[in-house]
């Protein structure tokens, strides 16, 4: 009946739930009080018909020489030919005398779209088609052409990343199947978790889209790849937590349904606490000022809640129904494994806890030191392979123009109280802005009412570079505001301004979201362990693991490989997958420690038992999750490589260094003080069931 209810729920949500919709509006990403958002709103009101090139065609001679008049005529012919091609979402291709560089080596043509969204899929397809259409037009000329700019860079980013979702899904499925088959030696156990989690994925996605439709929050369709990893990562963890305990009780001679009931009773609270910690961490994202993270929080929390429900109902139902047939054809489940390496590690930790704590904590501290050199960057194009057309065209453009030519920063001068700007005010302001020497200032464009003037400031740096963001967030905004004539107000917008505001919002979020999540997780740990002491050192260990993960990534990519910096989103990604999900392993180990102490074992013996019996569960779960992200190291995009390494290495650190070494060692050192102010008293009744009867007597 339980399985049937889940199947009906999956079919119902798949059939009735609305689809997830993509969200691309920048105003939905940043709160409306940020200056770049207000500038964008003013631009929409004052210049509703304004046309801004979505991408730029960059022309140069094949021999690298100066452009001749014949070359410029060919530029006009190519631009006209592409405009006549009638490509979807392309309004026109425009050229001008000002689009020839002062050194006459480079000429530009703007691609004006019919949509204001440079990331529109139809527009991206047209940019791709335009590259092909240009090839016959360029034959017989001395010209070489490349397309760069927002749309072209987005197109190349998508193509260089490949089908990342499919790659992650395939890697996850293969890892789950192969590792479970190797450990349990059963095809059924290898496949069943995949089927169970796929069912959970369908239900969770349906609930998320329904909640987004009727609950007032937005969930971007792009969340799919994150959902895959979260559901398969968390789901596999919880299934393994259950299966390993289920197998333990089967070995003690219990019948399958009794063994599964006992397993759920023992680890159900642990799984619920682990899920609660992850849900709390994800819901803390609601405190973020960035729309993307606020939407991601509830969606991921819903997915983990559904996974928890499945772990406590669907998984026990499936394995109770199958009984010992789930392990077919292997009979190894009947024998206690040797736990060779795990047992030796457990023995060392129990005998020399101070040494193990110092070594594991010291390793994490050394790796964490790399955080001191952390530099975050917003330059998506910089992470792309250098052989892509948009990257090469951008480099070519810089031979004749400033790097910001394709996307100038916008400065808006508006008369207060709806009045009109005087010409003298506009000219004086343009002069003041130019005198700041921060970039070439283009002449003012007035809106039809004469109340708003728009200036373009062409920076020397790429719009999404750290240098451009620093210039806009500091000197340019300061100079623009200070030069405003009396009776006017100024707003600075454009790509660099948006990124500057995102940077500010991100730093604000780090100081709010992370502490809130930490407090929530500490409360959950305190309730699970009935302790005030344990949650403190567990969260300190998690914080050290977080810093060690980021520090390791800095050491590798910035210091050894010479990257300019790491993606600004990386700390949040590490938070989501290393801190939130990795906390599961800490909870499992400490809950098992508490259980062993409750059985009457001394702290050192409790640590031996906890590590010995938890190592295989944690090791398998960590290997699957780390391997899933490790696949991203095969991507050509360096940003994806950095993300893949950070999460994969962070999960391995969390599992093997923190959960299996540092936390048990500190727990051994603290002894019974770990559980203060509560006391863990041994059970009066024996924990283990009597030895099983001989098989012939029982079944005979």
């Amino acid at each position: 009946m339980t399985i049937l209810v889940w199947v009906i729920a999956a079919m119902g949500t798949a059939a009735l739930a609305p689809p997830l919709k993509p969200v691309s509006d920048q105003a939905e990403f940043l709160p409306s009080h940020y200056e770049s958002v207000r500038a964008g709103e003013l631009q929409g009101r004052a210049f509703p018909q304004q046309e801004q090139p979505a991408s730029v065609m960059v022309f140069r001679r094949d021999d690298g020489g100066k452009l001749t008049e014949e070359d410029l005529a060919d530029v006009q012919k190519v631009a006209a030919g592409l405009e006549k091609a009638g490509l979807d979402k392309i309004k026109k291709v425009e050229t001008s005398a000002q689009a020839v560089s002062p050194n006459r080596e480079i000429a530009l043509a703007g691609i004006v779209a019919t949509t204001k969204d440079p990331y529109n899929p139809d527009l991206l397809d047209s940019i791709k088609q335009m590259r092909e259409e240009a090839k016959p037009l360029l034959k017989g000329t001395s010209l070489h052409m490349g397309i760069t700019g927002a749309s072209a860079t987005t197109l190349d980013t998508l193509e260089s990343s490949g089908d990342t979702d499919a790659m992650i899904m395939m890697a996850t499925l293969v890892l789950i199947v192969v590792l479970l088959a190797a450990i349990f030696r059963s095809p059924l156990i290898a496949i069943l978790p995949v089927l169970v989690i796929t069912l959970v994925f369908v239900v969770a996605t349906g609930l998320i889209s329904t909640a987004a439709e009727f609950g007032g929050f937005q969930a971007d369709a792009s969340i799919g790849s994150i959902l895959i990893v979260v559901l398969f990562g968390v789901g596999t963890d919880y299934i393994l937590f259950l299966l390993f305990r289920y197998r333990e009780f089967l070995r003690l001679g219990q019948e399958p349904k009794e063994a599964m009931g006992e397993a759920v009773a023992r680890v159900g609270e642990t799984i619920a606490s682990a899920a609660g910690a992850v849900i709390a961490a994800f819901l803390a994202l609601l405190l973020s000022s960035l729309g993307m993270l606020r939407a991601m929080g509830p969606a991921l929390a819903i997915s983990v809640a559904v996974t928890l429900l499945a772990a406590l109902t669907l998984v026990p139902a499936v394995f109770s129904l199958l009984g010992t047939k789930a392990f077919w054809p292997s009979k190894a489940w009947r024998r206690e494994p040797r736990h060779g390496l795990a047992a030796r590690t457990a023995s060392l930790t129990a005998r020399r806890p101070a040494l193990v704590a110092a070594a594991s904590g010291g390793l994490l501290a050394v790796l964490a030191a790399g955080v001191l050199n952390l530099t975050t960057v917003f330059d998506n194009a910089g992470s792309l392979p250098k052989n892509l057309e948009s990257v090469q065209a951008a480099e070519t453009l810089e031979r004749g123009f400033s790097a910001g030519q394709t996307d100038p920063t916008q400065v808006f001068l508006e008369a207060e109280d709806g009045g009109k700007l005087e010409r003298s005010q506009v000219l004086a302001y343009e002069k003041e802005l130019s005198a700041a020497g921060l970039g070439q200032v283009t002449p003012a464009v007035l809106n039809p009412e004469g109340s708003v003037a728009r200036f373009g400031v062409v920076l020397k740096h790429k719009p999404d570079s750290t240098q451009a963001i620093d210039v806009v967030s500091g000197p340019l905004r300061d100079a623009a505001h200070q030069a405003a004539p009396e009776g006017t107000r100024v707003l600075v917008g454009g790509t660099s301004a948006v990124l500057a505001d995102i940077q500010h919002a991100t730093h604000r979020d780090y100081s709010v979201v992370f502490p809130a999540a930490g407090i929530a997780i500490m409360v959950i740990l305190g309730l699970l362990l009935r302790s005030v002491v344990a949650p403190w050192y567990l969260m300190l260990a998690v914080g050290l693991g977080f810093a060690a993960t980021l520090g390791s990534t800095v050491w590798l990519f910035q210091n050894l490989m010479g990257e300019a910096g790491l993606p600004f989103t990386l700390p949040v990604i590490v938070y989501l997958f290393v801190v939130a999900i990795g906390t599961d392993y800490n909870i499992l180990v400490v809950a098992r420690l508490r259980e062993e102490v409750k059985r009457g074992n001394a702290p050192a013996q409790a640590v031996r038992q906890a590590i010995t019996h938890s190592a295989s569960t944690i090791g398998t779960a960590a290997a699957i999750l780390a391997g899933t992200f490790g696949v991203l190291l095969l991507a050509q995009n360096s940003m994806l490589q950095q993300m893949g390494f950070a999460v994969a290495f962070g999960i391995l650190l969390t599992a093997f260094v923190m959960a299996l070494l540092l936390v048990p060692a500190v727990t051994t050192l603290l002894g019974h003080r770990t559980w203060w102010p509560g006391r863990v008293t041994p059970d009066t009744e024996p924990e283990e069931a009597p030895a099983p009867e001989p098989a012939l007597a029982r079944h005979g």
Side-chain angles (χ1 to χ4, degrees), residues 333-495:
W333 61 271
R334 297 179 179 179
R335 301 186 300 273
E336 180 72 25
R338 294 180 181 178
H339 301 298
L341 180 59
R344 290 194 294 274
T345 303
S347 179
L348 175 64
T349 305
R351 286 186 292 105
R352 306 289 298 273
L355 174 65
V356 172
S360 56
L363 172 63
L364 293 175
V366 169
L367 295 175
V371 172
L372 299 175
N373 298 322
L374 174 64
T375 301
T376 54
V377 296
F378 293 79
D379 184 6
N380 291 331
S383 66
L384 296 174
K386 303 304 179 188
N387 62 344
L388 295 179
E389 182 174 322
S390 61
V391 176
Q392 293 180 345
E395 292 175 353
T396 300
L397 182 145
E398 292 180 41
R399 285 171 40 187
F401 294 93
S402 296
Q405 182 74 34
T406 59
D407 192 359
T409 297
Q410 306 292 326
V411 179
F412 298 93
L413 178 68
E414 182 184 20
E416 293 180 346
D417 303 322
K420 287 191 175 184
L421 293 170
E422 297 178 8
R423 181 171 175 77
S424 59
Q425 287 180 313
V426 174
L427 292 174
Y429 185 75
E430 183 181 329
K431 185 177 180 181
E432 289 281 337
L433 202 57
S434 299
L438 299 171
Q440 178 188 351
V441 180
T442 61
V445 176
L446 285 171
N447 69 330
E449 294 79 17
S451 59
V452 180
R454 177 177 57 83
F455 303 87
V457 180
V458 180
L459 302 178
K460 298 175 183 177
H461 313 289
K462 294 179 181 177
D464 57 357
S465 66
T466 302
Q467 298 94 325
I469 293 167
D470 291 343
V471 168
V472 171
S473 62
L476 180 55
R477 274 184 170 161
D478 291 343
H481 292 154
Q482 290 170 7
E486 190 174 344
T488 65
R489 56 175 168 263
V490 168
L491 293 172
V492 179
T495 299

Side-chain angles (χ1 to χ4, degrees), residues 495-652:
T495 299
S496 301
V498 169
L499 294 177
D501 289 340
I502 289 175
Q503 185 179 58
H504 180 272
T506 303
H507 291 158
R508 175 262 175 202
D509 287 353
Y510 292 163
S511 65
V512 174
V513 174
F514 292 171
I519 292 170
I521 293 174
M522 282 186 67
V523 170
I524 291 169
L525 289 172
L527 293 173
L528 169 69
L529 303 173
R530 286 81 164 171
S531 165
V532 171
V533 175
W536 279 101
Y537 73 79
L538 286 174
M539 288 310 298
L540 287 173
V542 167
L544 186 58
F546 175 79
T549 300
L550 285 180
S552 304
T553 314
V554 171
W555 287 122
L556 177 61
F557 287 95
Q558 282 186 215
N559 295 355
L560 292 180
M561 299 179 65
E563 296 283 351
L566 304 181
F568 77 100
T569 54
L570 191 63
V572 174
I573 297 295
V574 171
Y575 161 80
L576 288 175
F577 296 108
V578 177
V579 175
I581 297 178
T583 302
D584 287 1
Y585 308 141
N586 273 348
I587 290 175
L588 181 69
V589 166
V590 177
R592 185 67 186 244
L593 277 166
R594 191 176 189 279
E595 183 181 324
E596 295 296 338
V597 171
K598 200 175 179 184
R599 283 181 173 177
N601 289 318
Q605 181 60 23
V607 164
R608 282 193 182 92
Q609 293 295 323
I611 294 177
T612 299
H613 290 287
S614 301
S616 55
T617 311
I618 291 173
T620 305
I624 289 172
L625 191 57
T628 299
F629 273 96
V631 173
L632 294 178
L633 289 168
L634 302 176
Q636 290 183 301
N637 189 314
S638 65
M639 189 177 293
L640 290 178
Q641 292 172 356
Q642 292 165 12
M643 185 188 303
F645 170 81
V647 178
F649 191 66
I651 288 291
L652 295 177

Side-chain angles (χ1 to χ4, degrees), residues 176-177 180-182 184-195 325-330:
I176 290 175
V177 170
L180 292 183
F184 291 96
R185 301 172 194 175
S186 163
L188 266 178
I189 287 187
I191 295 170
L192 278 173
V194 173
L195 298 178
K325 296 184 186 70
F327 297 96
W328 179 88
S330 172

